[in-house]
Amino acid sequence: MRHDDFVGQVQARGRLSDRAHAERAIRATLETLGERLPESLADKLAAQLPHEIGENLRRTEVYGGLGTGEHFGREEFIQRVATRAGCDGRRAVFLARVVFEVTDEATQGRIMAKVRESLTQELRELATVGSQGHL
C-alpha cells in the first residue's frame, strides 16, 4: 500500500476532516505501538509499511535496537494515543482501531499476527476489533 492510500484509508474510516488529522492519528498510534513492541518486531513491521509511516514505529527505538518494548496496558496505551492525537480517550480508542485495521491490510505475511501475539490480551482486542466492531 502506498503512503497516500494508507493516509486516505485512515482519513475515510476514521471520519477525519483532513489528511493532517489522519497523519496525526497514524503517528500517535504507531509511535505508541513502537514504545510497546520489542524493537526487532517494530522494525520488521515498519519495513512493510510506506517509509514515512513506518518511521513512526522507529522513532521510539533505543540506540542499537537492543532494547525491549515497555510493558504497559490498554489504559496507558489509550492515554498516550490520546495525548499525541490531541483527543479524548474514547476517540483515541476508535482512531487506534482504525490505524491497526489499515496497518493489518497494508502488511503481508504474519507480521500483524506476531504483533498481536506480543501484546497483552486487552491490547490484542484493541488491535483486532477493526473500525466497525464493538469493543
Side-chain angles (χ1 to χ4, degrees):
M1 185 179 290
R2 295 177 330 166
H3 177 268
D4 289 343
D5 296 333
F6 193 104
V7 174
Q9 287 295 321
V10 170
Q11 181 182 351
R13 294 178 199 187
R15 298 184 290 277
L16 297 164
S17 60
D18 56 39
R19 293 179 62 80
H21 284 94
E23 289 173 345
R24 189 171 183 181
I26 293 165
R27 182 174 51 253
T29 302
L30 294 182
E31 283 182 0
T32 304
L33 183 61
E35 291 170 341
R36 181 62 180 80
L37 293 177
E39 289 179 23
S40 61
L41 185 55
D43 194 50
K44 288 176 185 172
L45 177 58
Q48 288 199 19
L49 296 172
H51 179 74
E52 302 88 348
I53 292 169
E55 286 304 303
N56 293 304
L57 288 157
R58 293 183 173 121
R59 287 187 220 281
T60 54
E61 287 186 356
V62 175
Y63 176 76
L66 301 175
T68 59
E70 289 182 56
H71 294 284
F72 53 85
R74 182 178 183 268
E75 292 306 315
E76 179 66 20
F77 189 93
I78 292 166
Q79 181 57 46
R80 291 183 189 198
V81 172
T83 299
R84 287 180 166 127
C87 63
D88 64 23
R90 190 176 177 108
R91 183 74 174 147
V93 168
F94 178 66
L95 293 176
R97 290 169 52 186
V98 168
V99 172
F100 277 124
E101 181 178 64
V102 176
T103 300
D104 196 16
E105 293 171 9
T107 58
Q108 299 174 349
R110 289 193 23 87
I111 190 68
M112 281 304 290
K114 289 178 183 178
V115 167
R116 286 187 289 273
E117 289 168 7
S118 76
L119 300 173
T120 62
Q121 180 60 35
E122 62 184 3
L123 274 173
R124 193 173 305 133
E125 289 172 359
L126 185 68
T128 58
V129 73
S131 63
Q132 301 298 316
H134 295 285
L135 181 64

